[in-house]
Amino acid sequence: MAAIRRLLFITLAGSLGVTSTGFRANVPVDTRSLDEIYAAAQNESGPLIVASGGDAQSQGDTIRNAWAQRFPRIPLNLTVDLSKYHDSRIDRAFYEKNENTDVALLQTLHDFPYWKEQNRLMYYKPATFNDIYNGEKDLDGAYYPILTFNFGRFIYDSTKLNASLIPKSYADLTDPRYKDKLVLTLPNDDDAILYLFHTIVSKYGFRWLDGLIANNPMWVRGTGTPTFVLQQEHNNATSKLALTITSAAAPANATYFHVKEPQAPEQYMSWTQTAAIFASTKRPNSAQLFISWLLSDEFQSTLQSQGRPIVRRSLDQGELYLSNTTQVDGFRVFMNDRRFVERWRLQFETSLGTAQGPSALTFVP
């Protein structure tokens, strides 16, 4: 009987793409300081290659510049592209036995359990591992949350839209007063925007989508594109474009941009951009340094000073889980049910057509 059970287990594990080597003993927390890991990393050759999700190369500048100042002897090659393209290239390199990415930092949260099942991730626990919210990390140390982002807040040009006219809820966006004023990312081109629109339509029905479309939004690709367009149109007296809900943040250098959260019980979407080290890396200490630094007090305190929710309990003080207007676990559940995601994507594509136009990476700086 024991032999039969073992055979059934091996058969099941094989069908899931899990091998016996996919199971690891408990990995101890790395107690080295950043400087000690940095010293070890200097014995490795070549740049650290990081695939970072985003839709504008400038979105990687904060990490690139801070890394170069803090660890000048470890070159960093951080490339920003849409997460759905990064993961495709990463998988193709794996299939062709030509892996070259050391670390992935992506929005596509379903990738990480999948890669773990395939035994493709390094198990590593940085010094701050036990302080990371349990719901956001892999308890074995295969992947970790790094940054918290969100979509769904009202970002508007205050010179074109009076504060009294800012929507209080998503239902307001179907009001004719917003005709020709909206710039929105196509929900069938980005999973995070898809989840936001799925959340709204689940509450208000497809009549809301029909009313939104009737207000003639400018539909674009990329989540960085809406605020970029609003900046371009700011001095255009003939343009009515003034409002978006599909960008993560207002440009810091434009004082005429303001951000307003929808009123509770309205829900906007948030998620934790997640990272993992690939087991194939030839620069394990450099990769461990990168993860340890991103999750350190040094880096996370900078995010805290910007008013962002933090993935570490001691710094976040519960903000991540106490909000009445957003939460992070819904998107993770959504992303890991790809059949459900595809059904919703096609619902919006039925109304809006396939995504057209250039990727944001071609024109957003």
Side-chain angles (χ1 to χ4, degrees):
M1 181 62 70
I4 293 175
R5 285 198 298 266
R6 176 174 174 79
L7 178 60
L8 288 172
F9 170 79
I10 293 172
T11 302
L12 177 61
S15 68
L16 294 174
V18 179
T19 67
S20 59
T21 58
F23 298 93
R24 292 286 188 269
N26 186 39
V27 177
V29 172
D30 190 349
T31 58
R32 293 177 297 173
S33 68
L34 291 177
D35 288 335
E36 288 172 333
I37 307 174
Y38 181 35
Q42 290 176 52
N43 295 318
E44 298 170 348
S45 60
L48 180 69
I49 299 176
V50 177
S52 183
D55 50 22
Q57 286 298 333
S58 59
Q59 293 169 353
D61 287 346
T62 297
I63 291 178
R64 292 188 194 102
N65 296 337
W67 175 271
Q69 183 175 4
R70 180 66 172 83
F71 308 109
R73 296 187 178 181
I74 307 296
L76 175 65
N77 182 350
L78 185 148
T79 301
V80 175
D81 201 348
L82 299 181
S83 293
K84 63 183 180 180
Y85 297 147
H86 271 315
D87 64 5
S88 179
R89 295 188 191 102
I90 288 168
D91 282 344
R92 185 176 301 183
F94 172 73
Y95 300 145
E96 294 181 343
K97 302 186 186 306
N98 186 32
E99 296 175 85
N100 57 4
T101 300
D102 299 304
V103 177
L105 177 59
L106 305 176
Q107 170 188 288
T108 44
L109 303 185
H110 59 290
D111 285 325
F112 299 98
Y114 173 71
W115 287 332
K116 182 186 179 184
E117 288 175 2
Q118 291 192 317
N119 197 32
R120 291 164 58 183
L121 301 181
M122 175 185 291
Y123 291 80
Y124 175 69
K125 295 180 180 179
T128 57
F129 184 79
N130 291 329
D131 192 38
I132 303 170
Y133 281 113
N134 284 342
E136 307 306 316
K137 66 187 177 186
D138 175 67
L139 297 181
D140 295 323
Y143 48 88
Y144 341 79
I146 303 295
L147 306 163
T148 302
F149 291 105
N150 56 67
F151 295 124
R153 297 185 300 168
F154 301 112
I155 300 176
Y156 64 97
D157 183 339
S158 60
T159 67
K160 293 190 174 188
L161 201 61
N162 189 282
S164 63
L165 297 178
I166 305 308
K168 295 181 174 60
S169 71
Y170 300 126
D172 294 340
L173 295 176
T174 62
D175 191 308
R177 74 175 66 181
Y178 300 111
K179 188 175 179 63
D180 300 324
K181 291 181 170 62
L182 288 158
V183 186
L184 299 172
T185 304
L186 286 160
N188 50 315
D189 196 41
D190 183 285
D191 284 343
I193 304 303
L194 175 64
Y195 178 69
L196 172 65
F197 274 67
H198 145 269
T199 301
I200 299 171
V201 170
S202 295
K203 181 175 182 178
Y204 296 112
F206 283 98
R207 286 182 299 177
W208 175 87
L209 180 63
D210 294 337
L212 182 73
I213 293 172
N215 273 338
N216 193 36
M218 178 181 180
W219 294 102
V220 298
R221 298 182 66 198
T223 58
T225 309
T227 50
F228 179 74
V229 170
L230 292 180
Q231 278 186 295
Q232 284 188 318
E233 298 300 311
H234 172 66
N235 293 318
N236 182 353
T238 63
S239 173
K240 297 180 181 179
L241 295 172
L243 175 67
T244 187
I245 62 169
T246 60
S247 282
N253 61 343
T255 58
Y256 50 85
F257 275 122
H258 295 273
V259 179
K260 182 180 179 181
E261 291 189 4
Q263 293 185 354
E266 203 75 285
Q267 293 285 308
Y268 62 92
M269 71 83 60
S270 296
W271 82 97
T272 51
Q273 194 88 338
T274 296
I277 302 171
F278 287 100
S280 59
T281 179
K282 298 178 177 61
R283 293 164 282 274
N285 283 295
S286 298
Q288 291 168 5
L289 177 64
F290 186 73
I291 294 296
S292 295
W293 172 67
L294 289 178
L295 289 168
S296 69
D297 285 357
E298 287 183 26
F299 189 83
Q300 292 289 316
S301 293
T302 301
L303 301 177
Q304 185 185 38
S305 68
Q306 298 169 359
R308 297 174 63 165
I310 306 301
V311 300
R312 286 181 45 202
R313 288 188 297 260
S314 63
L315 297 176
D316 185 64
Q317 299 298 318
E319 181 181 348
L320 195 62
Y321 288 106
L322 293 179
S323 172
N324 290 321
T325 51
T326 192
Q327 41 74 35
V328 295
D329 56 346
F331 182 61
R332 185 187 310 104
V333 173
F334 177 79
M335 288 292 281
N336 278 281
D337 188 342
R338 299 310 297 174
R339 289 181 297 180
F340 188 67
V341 170
E342 182 66 7
R343 283 183 174 275
W344 273 96
R345 188 185 69 79
L346 289 174
Q347 284 293 339
F348 292 109
E349 194 161 291
T350 298
S351 296
L352 300 170
T354 57
Q356 301 294 319
S359 167
L361 280 160
T362 63
F363 64 92
V364 177

